[in-house]
């Protein structure tokens, strides 16, 4: 059935006068602006590996501005590592931290596994001193992943600055032995990722000679074993300031790579590109955001477990809360009954393990983030054998390295700088 049409009478009266004939009409706009905005989320990006800086055939660096000295021939990197970061020990690793933006990965840079925002690096390998201390059970932490919006949507003209987002993601791995702080082993790894809106590929197509993207990493002296992306980054090793480090992007390689990814995944909204991977200089237990001490008292008929924890503001540049904190301990010896569990915890009778969940721990928590977890277990096949405590947490808004980033030169702007860290292998033993 055809819907009735609304009729509207023409207005009566004298019509408005026509404009003067000598006034030119407004010319029509030509060209369409480049629109960069949110779209459907793309699949989770796989790891984007990097190869060490010792590559014998480094890509030629892009031309630098005349004001900068030329980079002497040699390696494009600034650091080296004695061995690659260890692969995860368990088949069920902790939930990943959300990537900077819902973007397609830059997985075509190279072929080895990397420490990306979607994977959690670990501290443990077979040559580490506490490899044999790892628990044999799988961790099934239920920490929800975070989220991020990436570069801000905008309509961009040819002369506008291009939006870029940056993210520092760090993983702290620690092993606590009893209550002796001198026996604490700490390793902190991290990565810096840049995120580009998908529409930037159209901008590059219309502007094949864009300005070089140059940035400076602040507090660079706190990093060690730095691995720049050898395909995309160049740096000047003659800089005098040890606390900052300046890098510039090989723009032809970046444009080629982003174009390839956009062709492979045309529905992607953002493209995340791994730029730096690094290790943070750690100072033992002082570098751990949550100090731990575990005490077991094992008898044939019962086991007493005490876990002491302390929130450590000194480990962070900006004191931020630890979120979704979980304490997981397996108890053997045939547990028949739980007594005096404080605070309340979840006991998994099938897997014989106890789990405490604390929404957040910070300076605003009771006693300034200092607390204890207590439990007594009645046994039928005791005594129990002490097992390592496994702790998980995430945090947003700060890093453990204190690193920051700023742009150098014109042509680009940061729409978002995200900082976060999380626990990797975070263990405590009796």
């Amino acid at each position: 059935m055809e819907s009735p049409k609304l009729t509207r009478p023409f207005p009566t009266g004298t019509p408005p006068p026509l404009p003067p004939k000598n006034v030119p009409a407004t010319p029509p706009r030509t060209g369409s602006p480049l629109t960069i905005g949110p779209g459907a989320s793309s699949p989770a990006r796989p790891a984007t590996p990097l190869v060490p800086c010792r590559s014998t055939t480094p890509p030629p660096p892009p031309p630098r501005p005349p004001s900068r000295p030329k980079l002497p021939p040699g390696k494009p990197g600034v650091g080296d590592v004695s061995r690659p970061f260890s692969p995860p020990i368990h088949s069920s690793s902790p939930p990943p931290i959300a990537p900077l933006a819902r973007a397609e990965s830059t997985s075509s840079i190279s072929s080895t596994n990397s420490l990306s925002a979607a994977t959690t690096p670990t501290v443990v390998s077979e040559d580490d001193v506490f490899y044999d201390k790892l628990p044999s059970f799988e961790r099934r932490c239920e920490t929800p992943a975070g989220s991020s919006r990436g570069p801000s949507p905008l309509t961009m003209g040819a002369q506008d600055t291009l939006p870029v987002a940056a993210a520092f993601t760090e993983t702290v791995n620690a092993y606590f032995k009893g209550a002796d702080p001198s026996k604490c082993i700490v390793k902190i790894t991290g990565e810096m990722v840049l995120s580009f809106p998908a529409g930037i590929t159209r901008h590059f197509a219309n502007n094949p000679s864009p300005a070089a993207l140059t940035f400076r990493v602040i507090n660079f002296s706190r990093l060690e074993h730095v691995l720049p992306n050898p395909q995309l980054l160049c740096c000047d090793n003659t800089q005098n300031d040890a606390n900052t480090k300046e890098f510039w992007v090989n723009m032809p390689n970046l444009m080629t790579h982003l174009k390839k990814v956009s062709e492979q995944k045309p529905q992607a909204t953002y493209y995340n590109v791994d730029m730096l991977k690094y290790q943070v200089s750690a100072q033992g237990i002082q570098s751990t955001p949550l100090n731990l001490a575990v005490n077991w008292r094992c008898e044939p008929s019962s086991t007493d477990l005490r876990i002491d924890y302390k929130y450590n503001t000194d480990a962070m540049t900006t004191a931020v809360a630890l979120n979704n904190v979980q304490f997981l301990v397996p108890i053997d010896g045939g547990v028949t009954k739980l007594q005096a569990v404080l605070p309340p915890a979840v006991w998994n009778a099938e897997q014989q393990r106890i789990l405490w969940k604390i929404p957040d721990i910070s300076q605003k928590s009771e006693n300034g983030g200092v607390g204890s977890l207590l439990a007594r277990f009645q046994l039928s096949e005791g005594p129990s054998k002490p097992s390592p405590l496994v702790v998980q947490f995430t945090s947003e808004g700060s890093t453990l390295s204190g690193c920051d980033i700023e742009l150098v030169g014109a042509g680009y702007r940061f729409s978002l700088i995200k900082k976060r860290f999380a626990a990797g292998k975070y263990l405590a033993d009796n």
Side-chain angles (χ1 to χ4, degrees):
M1 178 177 178
E2 189 174 343
S3 58
K5 297 182 180 179
L6 296 177
T7 58
R8 184 176 180 181
F10 290 96
T12 59
T14 304
L18 296 174
K21 295 183 179 180
N22 59 349
V23 177
T26 302
R29 295 182 180 180
T30 60
S32 58
L34 174 64
T35 302
I36 299 179
S41 62
S42 59
R45 66 184 185 95
T48 305
L50 297 178
V51 296
C53 296
R54 293 172 293 188
S55 173
T56 57
T57 58
R64 302 191 69 192
S67 60
R68 297 194 182 112
K70 294 183 179 179
L71 180 66
K75 304 181 223 180
V78 298
D80 196 3
V81 290
S82 58
R83 61 183 175 84
F85 293 121
S86 312
I89 296 297
H90 300 293
S91 60
S92 178
S93 58
I97 301 175
L100 172 64
R102 296 175 298 174
E104 277 313 310
S105 167
T106 59
S107 58
S108 61
I109 291 180
S110 62
S111 60
T112 57
N113 289 332
S114 71
L115 309 177
S116 70
T119 57
T120 304
T122 65
V123 70
V124 185
S125 69
E126 294 184 2
D127 57 341
D128 280 319
V129 294
F130 57 93
Y131 173 78
D132 57 346
K133 301 295 183 181
L134 288 175
S136 57
F137 56 89
E138 292 183 351
R139 287 181 292 161
R140 301 182 184 275
C141 297
E142 300 173 0
T143 304
S147 61
S148 174
R149 59 184 176 86
S152 59
L154 78 165
T155 300
M156 184 172 59
Q159 303 301 321
D160 291 339
T161 56
L162 304 178
V164 180
F168 289 91
T169 302
E170 296 177 355
T171 301
V172 53
N173 308 271
Y175 175 71
F176 302 84
K177 179 65 176 177
D180 188 350
S182 65
K183 294 182 179 180
C184 180
I185 304 173
V186 184
K187 183 177 180 181
I188 303 171
T189 59
E191 71 169 6
M192 193 277 288
V193 174
L194 293 183
S195 183
F196 301 89
I200 203 170
T201 56
R202 297 193 298 273
H203 178 85
F204 286 155
N206 297 327
N207 299 272
S209 299
L213 173 58
T214 305
F215 60 87
R216 183 182 296 122
V217 177
I218 312 299
N219 291 328
F220 189 82
S221 59
R222 301 182 186 180
L223 306 182
E224 55 189 23
H225 303 317
V226 180
L227 291 173
N229 187 324
Q231 307 252 343
L232 298 176
L233 279 189
C234 300
C235 65
D236 187 354
N237 289 323
T238 64
Q239 299 176 41
N240 296 325
D241 187 359
N243 198 44
T244 64
K245 193 72 173 180
E246 187 173 312
F247 298 87
W248 66 97
V249 178
N250 187 319
M251 297 305 293
N253 284 5
L254 176 65
M255 291 188 292
T256 299
H257 177 70
L258 293 180
K259 182 176 183 295
K260 181 178 179 181
V261 176
S262 67
E263 292 171 351
Q264 293 173 344
K265 303 291 183 181
Q267 301 303 319
T269 307
Y270 303 104
Y271 308 124
N272 288 344
V273 182
D274 291 338
M275 290 294 178
L276 291 175
K277 299 188 187 299
Y278 55 85
Q279 187 170 322
V280 182
S281 179
Q283 306 298 325
I285 197 171
Q286 300 175 6
S287 300
T288 59
L290 189 66
N291 301 162
L292 300 173
V294 181
N295 181 264
W296 292 71
R297 188 173 67 182
C298 301
E299 299 178 353
S301 60
S302 66
T303 291
D304 291 342
L305 174 64
R306 179 187 178 97
I307 302 171
D308 296 315
Y309 63 86
K310 178 184 178 182
Y311 176 77
N312 181 22
T313 59
D314 295 337
M316 295 163 276
T317 308
T318 303
V320 292
L322 306 179
N323 303 315
N324 305 302
V325 187
Q326 303 185 33
F327 301 82
L328 181 65
V329 188
I331 309 292
D332 63 4
V335 177
T336 59
K337 185 178 181 181
L338 271 68
Q339 293 180 327
V341 179
L342 187 69
V346 177
W347 170 251
N348 188 318
E350 180 181 355
Q351 299 177 348
Q352 293 285 287
R353 60 189 188 184
I354 189 169
L355 173 65
W356 281 275
K357 295 183 179 181
I358 301 178
D360 57 78
I361 298 177
S362 69
Q363 287 178 308
K364 298 180 181 180
S365 302
E366 186 177 0
N367 299 322
V370 178
S372 298
L373 310 175
L374 307 173
R376 171 172 289 180
F377 307 87
Q378 295 295 327
L379 308 176
S380 61
E381 302 173 1
S384 299
K385 181 180 179 181
S387 300
L389 161 70
V390 178
V391 176
Q392 288 287 293
F393 54 79
T394 61
S395 187
E396 297 277 346
S398 184
T399 60
L400 302 174
S401 65
C403 284
D404 208 341
I405 186 173
E406 63 182 19
L407 291 172
V408 179
Y412 303 88
R413 62 182 173 83
F414 276 133
S415 58
L416 175 69
I417 299 178
K418 195 172 185 66
K419 302 174 184 179
R420 57 206 171 184
F421 64 87
K425 301 288 185 181
Y426 213 85
L427 312 175
D429 216 339
N430 193 24

